[in-house]
């Protein structure tokens, strides 16, 4: 920042970064969805792996039951050995056992020494029963069992096949590790994608900001460039605001120049008269002072209208203004009849004070120069509010209707006035993008002023 640059002023309270807010929201939502999806997928995969293990144990149990028969001594024996060699290896993690009331349990060789599977004599499993147990301190087992009687024996035998959960838990752990890594990588990728999407999506706003910086630096007159459909209306409104401010500044400069030029001639006349020591100096000062006052009044009216103009905020209830002007002019001209007609809900895009001023000028002129009757009509016409002010006076010749709008022009010098009424009406109406025109009244025969203002 250079020495001559003013310090930046903060007009808006900063509540945080929009990009950070969008990224945090996206990240939280992504993590929530991934956590829910990961939990559900973990349940599905765990159930699937467990079910696959259980199916293998049930197959071994059925094979064990099919090969079992009762020997001469009443005990169970097998007509063929199970094919899985782990049943023959001590402490291999895969075991079987057959037990019955009154008989010693008959275990597989893998149940070495005095190791035995829990029989759980308090219940009877006529159907296949699956459960986890820890009969050995260092090993948790997944056990499948079933109770049944064999031909030739009244004893209820319990057939059991068990497998260490280490293999099952290892498979589940490997799946969970893969699942966590995959979902973590997926979540990171989605968050990075959300960050890139946010950065790219908000890129036009950064372009607008840079354009505004160039605009303030005087490097450009408006925000230019192609914009997305969501940002284009903002840029259009911003350009409209810049153009509006430029027009106001230009109008202010022009009004200041016009006022200076208008006051220059009367001041020169006064100075020349004073320097020459003219006898009618007092009359000259009064006359020129009136001229300067008319000019000041005119430019002040325009300046007020320009300063209050704003298409988004300016609005005035037309009927309220018409009634106020009717009461005010009625007190000034008690012998004049003023009639009003039209809808009472019309609203125009103009400040109430400016509407009162121009409407008061029109109605007062109609009462002053008319024959005693004034008729004011309010109506809507294609997006505009029309106010028709008619009188029964002599009217104005068509050749003079344009000239009468010039400042200081008066067709009837026998009545007091400044000659600025219609000029102010036209200028203020044009400031609000309206019009004012003079026509002949068909009903009253005098003059009719047609004032058109944009409707809300």
């Amino acid at each position: 920042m250079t020495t001559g640059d003013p310090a930046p002023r903060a007009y808006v309270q900063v509540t945080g970064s929009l990009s950070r807010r969008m990224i945090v929201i996206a990240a939280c939502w992504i993590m929530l969805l991934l956590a829910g999806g990961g939990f559900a997928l973990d349940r599905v995969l765990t159930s699937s792996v467990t079910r696959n293990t259980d199916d293998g144990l049930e197959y071994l149990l059925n094979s064990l039951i099919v090969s079992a028969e009762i020997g001469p001594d009443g005990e169970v024996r097998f007509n063929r050995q199970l094919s899985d060699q782990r049943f023959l290896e001590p402490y291999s993690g895969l075991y079987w056992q057959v037990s019955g009331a009154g008989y010693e349990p008959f275990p597989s060789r893998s149940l070495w020494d005095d190791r035995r599977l829990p029989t759980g004599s308090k219940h009877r499993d006529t159907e296949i029963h699956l459960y986890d147990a820890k009969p050995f301190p260092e090993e948790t087992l997944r056990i499948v069992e079933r109770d049944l009687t064999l031909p030739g024996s009244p004893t209820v035998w319990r057939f059991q096949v068990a497998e260490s959960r280490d293999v099952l838990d290892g498979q589940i752990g490997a799946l969970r590790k893969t699942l966590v890594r995959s979902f973590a990588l997926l979540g990171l990728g989605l968050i990075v994608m959300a960050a890139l999407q946010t950065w790219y999506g908000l890129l036009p706003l950064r372009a607008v900001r840079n354009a505004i910086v160039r605009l303030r630096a005087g490097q450009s007159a408006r925000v230019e460039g192609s914009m997305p459909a969501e940002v284009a209306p903002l840029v259009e409104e911003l350009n409209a605001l810049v153009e509006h401010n430029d027009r106001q500044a230009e109008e202010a400069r022009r009004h200041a120049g016009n006022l200076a030029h208008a006051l220059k001639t009367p001041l020169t006349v006064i100075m020349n008269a004073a320097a020459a020591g003219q006898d009618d100096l007092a009359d000259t000062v009064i006359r020129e002072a009136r001229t300067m006052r008319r000019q000041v009044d005119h430019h002040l009216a325009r300046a007020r209208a320009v300063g209050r103009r704003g298409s988004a905020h300016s609005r005035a209830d037309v009927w309220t203004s018409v009634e106020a002007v009717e009461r005010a002019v009625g007190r000034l001209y008690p012998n004049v009849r003023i009639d009003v007609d039209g809808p009472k809900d019309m609203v125009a895009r103009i400040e109430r004070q400016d509407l009162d001023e121009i409407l008061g000028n029109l109605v007062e002129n109609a009462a002053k120069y008319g024959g005693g009757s004034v008729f004011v009509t309010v109506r809507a016409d294609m997006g505009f509010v029309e106010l028709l002010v008619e009188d029964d006076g002599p009217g104005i010749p068509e050749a003079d209707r344009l000239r009468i709008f010039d400042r200081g022009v008066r067709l009837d010098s026998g009545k007091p006035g400044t000659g600025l009424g219609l000029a102010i009406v036209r200028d203020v109406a044009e400031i609000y993008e309206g019009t004012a025109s003079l026509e002949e009244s068909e009903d009253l025969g005098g003059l009719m002023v047609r004032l058109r203002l944009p409707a809300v």
Side-chain angles (χ1 to χ4, degrees):
M1 180 183 297
T2 60
T3 305
D5 291 337
R9 293 173 293 177
Y11 295 101
V12 179
Q13 182 180 1
V14 178
T15 59
S17 171
L18 185 61
S19 300
R20 188 182 302 112
R21 187 181 305 175
M22 295 174 64
I23 293 173
V24 168
I25 292 175
C28 292
W29 185 242
I30 288 171
M31 297 307 295
L32 180 63
L33 292 179
L34 289 181
F39 178 78
L41 187 58
D42 175 75
R43 294 294 88 199
V44 171
L45 293 177
T46 300
S47 299
S48 177
V49 173
T50 304
R51 182 69 249 176
N52 184 58
T53 299
D54 292 344
D55 288 343
L57 292 176
E58 290 180 18
Y59 173 78
L60 293 175
L61 179 65
N62 291 331
S63 299
L64 186 68
I65 294 173
V66 168
S67 62
E69 59 184 20
I70 300 298
D73 55 356
E75 293 185 348
V76 176
R77 67 179 183 179
F78 299 99
N79 54 31
R80 59 183 176 86
Q81 294 293 330
L82 297 180
S83 60
D84 198 318
Q85 293 298 314
R86 288 180 295 173
F87 288 120
L88 303 177
E89 299 175 5
Y91 314 130
S92 64
L94 185 62
Y95 317 103
W96 61 260
Q97 177 179 292
V98 179
S99 56
Y103 295 92
E104 289 291 329
F106 181 32
S108 65
R109 185 167 182 168
S110 54
L111 284 171
W112 195 254
D113 296 334
D114 58 348
R115 286 192 173 190
R116 296 294 181 268
L117 299 180
T119 57
S121 58
K122 294 182 179 180
H123 65 279
R124 183 173 181 180
D125 300 317
T126 57
E127 300 293 335
I128 291 179
H129 179 211
L130 286 159
Y131 61 96
D132 293 331
K134 194 172 183 179
F136 316 132
E138 72 282 357
E139 192 174 29
T140 302
L141 301 179
R142 182 71 173 170
I143 302 176
V144 56
E145 63 186 22
R146 184 180 179 184
D147 295 341
L148 52 85
T149 58
L150 297 176
S153 173
T155 305
V156 177
W157 300 95
R158 174 162 293 178
F159 291 81
Q160 294 174 295
V161 176
E163 184 177 14
S164 174
R165 279 199 63 99
D166 292 343
V167 177
L168 177 61
D169 292 339
Q171 293 177 347
I172 295 175
L175 285 175
R176 283 178 176 171
K177 185 181 295 185
T178 303
L179 190 65
V180 169
R181 291 177 178 176
S182 301
F183 272 58
L185 183 61
L186 177 60
L188 179 62
L190 290 175
I191 292 174
V192 171
M193 184 191 70
L196 292 176
Q197 182 179 0
T198 301
W199 175 84
Y200 183 74
L202 297 180
L203 197 60
L205 295 182
R206 299 185 181 91
V208 172
R209 177 187 178 184
N210 295 332
I212 294 175
V213 172
R214 292 193 298 270
L215 189 65
R216 291 186 58 190
Q219 299 175 0
S220 61
R222 55 184 287 120
V223 179
E224 299 177 346
S226 301
M227 295 292 170
E230 294 79 6
V231 182
L234 172 65
V235 175
E236 292 176 0
E237 292 297 329
L238 181 60
N239 286 330
L241 178 61
V242 171
E243 294 173 359
H244 172 74
N245 292 336
D246 290 342
R247 285 197 304 270
Q248 283 194 323
E250 180 61 29
E251 288 175 355
R253 289 191 294 267
R254 185 170 64 252
H255 294 161
N258 291 340
L259 180 59
H261 181 75
L263 297 180
K264 182 178 180 180
T265 300
L267 289 174
T268 302
V269 172
I270 293 174
M271 291 179 63
N272 291 338
Q278 296 179 357
D279 296 335
D280 59 346
L281 177 60
D283 296 335
T284 301
V285 171
I286 293 175
R287 183 181 68 251
E288 298 302 326
R290 288 175 178 171
T291 302
M292 289 189 291
R293 181 178 179 181
R294 288 197 302 268
Q295 297 295 336
V296 169
D297 289 342
H298 171 73
H299 287 283
L300 283 178
R302 285 185 58 91
R304 286 195 302 269
V306 171
R308 291 191 295 263
R309 176 181 60 189
S311 60
H313 304 287
S314 299
R315 58 185 60 217
D317 189 339
V318 176
W319 191 261
T320 302
S321 182
V322 169
E323 289 183 331
V325 170
E326 177 192 6
R327 290 192 298 268
V329 176
R331 287 192 294 267
L332 292 176
Y333 300 92
N335 297 326
V336 176
R337 177 182 175 182
I338 303 176
D339 296 317
V340 296
D341 185 32
K344 299 182 179 181
D345 58 348
M346 301 298 297
V347 181
R349 289 195 182 277
I350 186 173
E351 290 292 332
R352 170 66 187 278
Q353 184 176 347
D354 294 329
L355 180 59
D356 289 348
E357 183 172 356
I358 61 178
L359 191 58
N361 273 325
L362 295 179
V363 177
E364 184 180 358
N365 283 343
K368 182 190 301 184
Y369 298 107
S373 295
V374 177
F375 191 37
V376 180
T377 305
V378 180
R379 66 185 187 184
D381 182 40
M382 298 179 63
F384 284 84
V385 177
E386 273 197 349
L387 294 102
L388 307 179
V389 181
E390 306 175 68
D391 62 62
D392 58 347
I396 297 177
E398 187 174 355
D400 296 328
R401 290 176 186 172
L402 292 178
R403 188 171 62 89
I404 195 65
F405 280 111
D406 295 336
R407 294 190 296 270
V409 175
R410 298 174 58 203
L411 299 182
D412 186 358
S413 59
K415 295 184 179 182
T418 63
L420 291 175
L422 290 179
I424 292 176
V425 170
R426 179 197 60 188
D427 291 346
V428 174
E430 290 178 352
I431 287 173
Y432 288 100
E433 300 180 355
T435 59
S437 59
L438 303 182
E439 303 174 14
E440 182 179 352
S441 174
E442 297 180 357
D443 297 330
L444 301 182
L447 180 67
M448 181 181 75
V449 181
R450 184 187 301 271
L451 176 65
R452 287 170 59 86
L453 296 171
V456 174

